[in-house]
Amino acid sequence: RPQGADAAAVVPEKEVLYVMQLENKVQLLEEDKALLRGQVRELLIANDDLRDRCDRSTPIPTLFKEIGTQTEKAIKAECEKCTMSAKQQPLADPPVTGEKEKEEERKEKKEKERKEEECKEKERKKKERKEKARREEDPLHTYKNYEDLPKAELLKTFEEDTGTAKAHYGCTLSPQGDTLCTVDNCGTISLFDIETTKMLYTLEATGGFFKKKVPLLSSDISANGKLMAAAGADGNVRIWHGSRKIWRQNVITTHTDKVYCCRFNPTGLKLATASVDKTARILDVQTGKVEYDLKEHT
């Protein structure tokens, strides 16, 4: 341990004061101890004298008891004096260790909480921006109740030139938004121009040896507009590929009962179907094979 000026540079002033007071207290206790020893010695001598002067008829145990009581009282009185002296000279508070480390921990904790609050605020603002953009793109989504929706207006009506009455079971808009595709109970797919509402052309779904028309229940158009699918009441799905009036039909046998729905995936390579036979299947458009067969419907 360094001495002199170096010691003051190494040991804090508060700790030096605390050690000095401890040393002074030890010295005082040593002096009190020596004083007590001297008083006990005097008491023993006085007791011996008392024993010589006392009547020989006094029992020895009673004499020893009186001497012990006097000695005990004297020692107790001296201890009380030492206690009072210690109370009059209180020691300095012991140095608090690790105060700097605790302060640093508190600062780090506050900094961490501040960063967390900033991150939460950024996330909240980001969500608000996304919600605002979504509402601008889809204003109807902001309405909570059906009654709050604005009233719909009839813009256009599409009619076929043929006089035959047909029941239309499904309709689909092309991804480009320029063509409307409908299917009916006579096995006909009709395509209309959105701007002029005129029918462009029709495709027929036939099946069996006699090429009978099959009622169609649903339809869909791929994202690139080059594939059309129609779900038939005979349990088959028909896929047409081509453009304008040049279309080729491919019949895929998928279900054992009526197929009520069919949808392309975004790439147009897969087709999902749902049927009355309590199954939903995913088909490969190019090969026509069933990739997934879901039979958990009741």
Side-chain angles (χ1 to χ4, degrees):
R1 182 175 177 177
Q3 302 293 329
D6 294 337
V10 175
V11 183
E13 183 177 354
K14 198 172 184 179
E15 293 187 2
V16 172
L17 178 62
Y18 182 70
V19 172
M20 291 176 63
Q21 290 183 355
L22 284 178
E23 291 177 352
N24 294 334
K25 184 61 181 177
V26 171
Q27 187 176 358
L28 290 173
L29 290 175
E30 290 291 337
E31 293 176 356
D32 293 340
K33 186 178 179 181
L35 180 62
L36 285 173
R37 286 179 179 176
Q39 292 179 354
V40 169
R41 192 180 299 110
E42 292 177 357
L43 287 172
L44 290 174
I45 293 172
N47 288 334
D48 291 338
D49 295 339
L50 180 63
R51 186 176 179 181
D52 292 338
R53 292 195 305 267
C54 71
D55 188 8
R56 296 296 179 181
S57 62
T58 305
I60 298 298
T62 304
L63 184 63
F64 285 158
K65 185 177 180 180
E66 293 178 357
I67 295 172
T69 303
Q70 294 177 2
T71 306
E72 183 179 354
K73 289 181 179 180
I75 294 173
K76 187 176 182 180
E78 292 297 329
C79 290
E80 289 177 357
K81 290 181 181 180
C82 294
T83 304
M84 293 298 295
S85 177
K87 289 181 179 180
Q88 292 175 0
Q89 298 179 1
L91 295 175
D93 296 333
V96 180
T97 58
E99 187 66 25
K100 187 176 181 181
E101 289 79 2
K102 290 181 180 179
E103 185 66 23
E104 291 178 355
E105 288 180 0
R106 286 194 291 268
K107 289 182 179 179
E108 291 178 358
K109 186 177 180 181
K110 289 183 180 179
E111 184 67 18
K112 186 178 179 180
E113 291 177 354
R114 185 183 64 80
K115 290 182 179 180
E116 289 179 354
E117 290 294 330
E118 289 180 355
C119 292
K120 290 180 180 179
E121 185 67 18
K122 289 181 180 178
E123 289 293 330
R124 186 182 63 80
K125 291 182 179 179
K126 187 177 179 181
K127 287 182 180 180
E128 289 180 355
R129 288 195 298 268
K130 286 184 178 180
E131 184 69 17
K132 185 178 179 181
R134 184 180 61 78
R135 289 180 179 179
E136 291 177 354
E137 293 177 359
D138 185 12
L140 295 180
H141 188 76
T142 59
Y143 294 95
K144 296 182 179 180
N145 300 321
Y146 177 77
E147 293 77 7
D148 298 335
L149 291 173
K151 294 182 179 180
E153 297 180 2
L154 179 63
L155 300 178
K156 297 179 181 180
T157 302
F158 299 84
E159 297 180 355
E160 296 186 20
D161 295 335
T162 59
T164 306
K166 298 179 180 180
H168 291 274
Y169 286 133
C171 61
T172 306
L173 277 173
S174 65
Q176 292 77 19
D178 57 353
T179 307
L180 176 68
C181 173
T182 65
V183 293
D184 56 39
N185 61 339
C186 295
T188 303
I189 295 181
S190 303
L191 290 99
F192 298 86
D193 184 87
I194 295 294
E195 293 295 332
T196 62
T197 70
K198 292 183 178 180
M199 186 173 63
L200 300 175
Y201 49 89
T202 61
L203 300 173
E204 293 184 351
T206 58
F209 180 77
F210 296 102
K211 302 294 182 181
K212 291 183 178 181
K213 292 184 179 180
V214 179
L216 301 176
L217 306 176
S218 176
S219 65
D220 193 26
I221 302 175
S222 63
N224 58 10
K226 295 182 179 181
L227 295 175
M228 285 192 302
D234 59 351
N236 298 331
V237 175
R238 289 162 176 81
I239 298 177
W240 287 267
H241 55 91
S243 60
R244 288 296 174 182
K245 295 184 179 181
I246 303 175
W247 292 89
R248 296 177 179 84
Q249 181 182 184
N250 183 21
V251 181
I252 302 175
T253 302
T254 56
H255 297 275
T256 60
D257 207 337
K258 298 177 183 179
V259 182
Y260 272 118
C261 185
C262 61
R263 289 291 181 270
F264 284 104
N265 74 332
T267 61
L269 300 177
K270 310 293 180 185
L271 181 69
T273 61
S275 171
V276 181
D277 62 2
K278 301 179 181 180
T279 62
R281 295 175 179 175
I282 297 177
L283 313 175
D284 185 284
V285 174
Q286 296 178 350
T287 62
K289 293 182 179 180
V290 178
E291 293 190 352
Y292 300 97
D293 189 4
L294 309 176
K295 300 180 180 179
E296 300 300 327
H297 297 276
T298 58

